[in-house]
Amino acid sequence: MYDVIIIGGGPSGLMAAVAAAENGAKVLLLDKGNKLGRKLAISGGGRCNVTNRMERKQLIEHIPGNGRFMHSPFSVFDNENIITFFENLGIQLKEEDRGRMFPVSDKAQTVVDTLLNRIRALNVDIRTNTEVSDMHFSEEGPHSVLLKDGTTIATKAIIIATGGKSVPHTGSNGSGYPWAEKAGHTITELYPTEVPITIDQPFIANKDLQGLSLREIELTVTAPNGKKIKTHEGDMIFTHFGISGPAALRCSQYVVKALKKYNAQWIPMSIQLFPGSSHEDLFQQLVALIKAEPKKALKTVLKGFAPERLLTFLYKDLDINEQEVCANTPHEALRKLAQTLTAFPLKANGTLSIEKAFVTGGGVSVKEIEPKTMQSRKTKGLYFCGEVLDIHGYTGGYNITCAFSTGYTAGSGAALNSK
């Protein structure tokens, strides 16, 4: 009989295996895929953003989905512990913008291989291509896991680390939710987060701005009543269906929730191309530019003021004559341009599907989880970690930090309680 069986070989499951084995448990790790750590191998654009080096308060602010729950798991294993853990295993890490930590090798596979070597060194039994069809919970113990091939395996503790429903080609297909429900748990509504946003406007359908990247802008989601819901700054890109890039991904969950809350066809969004400048500031800058060169064409004088493709689009969209000499350009035209550059209007009508999202919102309710051990409050000897839980962060190393932290906490908790 095993002390701990872990279902799922993603970031949280691998870390749970390490922690359980380090605490002396006899561990079995099951994964239905042919390879462990598939999500880890593609994370951070294939470079693996292992964590984020931020103060804990800031870290929790970057986990909009039940971040406060993470106080306890972080007290067991936090971002600094993650950094130390990998460095002790010989992976050198480097810090990049906004606190993101990457292996110096820039290869996610280094992280996956090192974790797997550690698990093997700890004598964890690993079975890939092994699908779990059911599990049985017993109040007196032990619990048991039933495999697709008909085998039943007894264990003192089960850790469900099956992931959410995002990036299904890595094996996350939502298989853990029915087992959680069977054990008495509530699954909060699932929705896509950190996902590109779809926009229903002619310029998107016509691909006028497709492929145009905007740097260091502010993107705002607004309620239909005009009240600001959320602003995120960063980079973004126009696509053939809407917008993507870090700022758009971070705003996506607010679009999903607002569409539902207001039962709306679309939600207003806007791009501020010059954060910190009001449209009056911008208007005055534009006036100064055309006054300085009254005999040149408007297009020539404003070249470089904003991305050229955007300006060309706006001249046409706002009915501004770009060939007009500056002396003849009406102030009203400059005012319209300034207004649009500080609040370029968008109509968000949804997002791509949950399968196309980087992260799943919703999951096993954290109210039913003991945060210091990740044990179920409903079924003794059952533990959860990673994205199967109703916890989600922004992109930038926050989700993987939650996965490693809850995984390590679940592994330690399960090992200690199974003795």
Side-chain angles (χ1 to χ4, degrees):
M1 185 168 74
Y2 287 95
D3 295 320
V4 180
I5 293 180
I6 299 160
I7 302 163
S12 67
L14 294 176
M15 196 57 95
V18 169
E22 280 182 351
N23 281 286
K26 186 184 178 194
V27 182
L28 172 63
L29 177 61
L30 301 173
D31 193 277
K32 65 176 182 292
N34 59 353
K35 224 157 113 194
L36 298 174
R38 283 183 294 174
K39 207 165 193 177
L40 209 50
I42 60 166
S43 68
R47 292 169 58 222
C48 192
N49 184 180
V50 293
T51 189
N52 198 299
R53 189 162 233 163
M54 258 187 187
E55 292 295 319
R56 188 173 299 174
K57 184 175 176 292
Q58 273 183 294
L59 198 60
I60 283 168
E61 283 167 7
H62 283 79
I63 305 166
N66 290 314
R68 284 169 60 191
F69 176 86
M70 290 303 300
H71 278 291
S72 285
F74 283 158
S75 70
V76 177
F77 195 74
D78 67 3
N79 52 347
E80 290 301 326
N81 296 126
I82 292 168
I83 292 166
T84 307
F85 172 82
F86 283 114
E87 287 180 341
N88 285 347
L89 292 177
I91 294 183
Q92 283 183 284
L93 299 177
K94 57 179 176 179
E95 186 172 339
E96 294 191 6
D97 62 314
R98 300 168 189 253
R100 298 179 306 150
M101 300 296 292
F102 289 92
V104 171
S105 69
D106 277 333
K107 290 189 174 71
Q109 201 54 49
T110 316
V111 177
V112 177
D113 293 344
T114 304
L115 258 177
L116 294 179
N117 290 341
R118 179 67 184 140
I119 287 167
R120 289 189 187 107
L122 288 163
N123 296 316
V124 170
D125 285 351
I126 298 169
R127 294 195 207 175
T128 50
N129 296 309
T130 305
E131 196 166 342
V132 173
S133 63
D134 204 355
M135 51 185 72
H136 299 293
F137 309 109
S138 161
E139 276 186 39
E140 294 77 42
H143 299 318
S144 61
V145 169
L146 180 66
L147 305 182
K148 261 276 171 35
D149 67 6
T151 315
T152 299
I153 311 169
T155 180
K156 294 175 188 167
I158 296 172
I159 299 178
I160 295 179
T162 46
K165 287 192 86 164
S166 310
V167 207
H169 69 270
T170 61
S172 305
N173 63 358
S175 60
Y177 303 125
W179 301 327
E181 285 180 317
K182 183 177 179 178
H185 284 276
T186 309
I187 310 299
T188 63
E189 189 177 350
L190 306 176
Y191 58 92
T193 126
E194 303 305 302
V195 64
I197 295 168
T198 56
I199 287 170
D200 182 22
Q201 278 163 281
F203 79 89
I204 293 288
N206 299 337
K207 303 183 179 174
D208 293 331
L209 297 175
Q210 184 181 339
L212 173 65
S213 290
L214 301 177
R215 313 279 301 175
E216 294 302 319
I217 52 89
E218 277 182 0
L219 190 60
T220 299
V221 183
T222 309
N225 61 13
K227 197 175 171 199
K228 189 164 94 173
I229 295 172
K230 194 72 182 176
T231 297
H232 273 299
E233 52 92 22
D235 302 342
M236 62 160 276
I237 185 168
F238 288 100
T239 68
H240 63 288
F241 55 77
I243 54 173
S244 191
L249 296 180
R250 288 187 169 198
C251 284
S252 61
Q253 60 176 298
Y254 301 99
V255 169
V256 171
K257 289 172 184 169
L259 282 165
K260 188 168 185 223
K261 180 178 175 180
Y262 297 101
N263 193 19
Q265 294 293 300
W266 56 273
I267 291 295
M269 292 185 76
S270 61
I271 305 165
Q272 159 60 297
L273 269 95
F274 298 89
S277 298
S278 67
H279 77 265
E280 186 59 37
D281 296 335
L282 229 51
F283 171 64
Q284 296 300 344
Q285 284 177 47
L286 291 169
V287 169
L289 285 170
I290 68 163
K291 272 190 175 158
E293 307 201 59
K295 291 183 174 150
K296 288 187 177 173
L298 181 70
K299 182 183 181 180
T300 309
V301 172
L302 296 190
K303 193 177 168 68
F305 188 79
E308 199 162 345
R309 268 184 76 194
L310 184 66
L311 285 175
T312 304
F313 168 75
L314 291 178
Y315 295 141
K316 192 176 166 194
D317 194 54
L318 301 171
D319 204 17
I320 295 169
N321 183 358
E322 60 187 72
Q323 306 300 344
E324 186 89 80
V325 295
C326 286
N328 297 340
T329 300
H331 276 194
E332 196 44 52
L334 298 181
R335 215 171 255 296
K336 277 197 295 188
L337 189 58
Q339 182 77 53
T340 308
L341 288 170
T342 50
F344 184 104
L346 300 170
K347 293 180 174 181
N349 66 343
T351 66
L352 295 187
S353 68
I354 197 164
E355 289 77 18
K356 296 269 186 353
F358 285 101
V359 183
T360 303
V364 177
S365 171
V366 293
K367 293 174 185 161
E368 300 162 359
I369 306 293
E370 173 49 60
K372 276 201 158 48
T373 60
M374 304 309 296
Q375 183 168 221
S376 162
R377 294 187 195 272
K378 304 278 185 183
T379 301
K380 201 170 179 298
L382 177 64
Y383 298 77
F384 295 92
C385 57
E387 213 179 318
V388 72
L389 291 160
D390 183 7
I391 296 171
H392 63 87
Y394 295 129
T395 50
Y398 307 103
N399 290 293
I400 210 161
T401 300
C402 290
F404 284 149
S405 174
T406 56
Y408 193 92
T409 304
S412 310
L416 297 171
N417 288 339
S418 67
K419 282 179 179 171

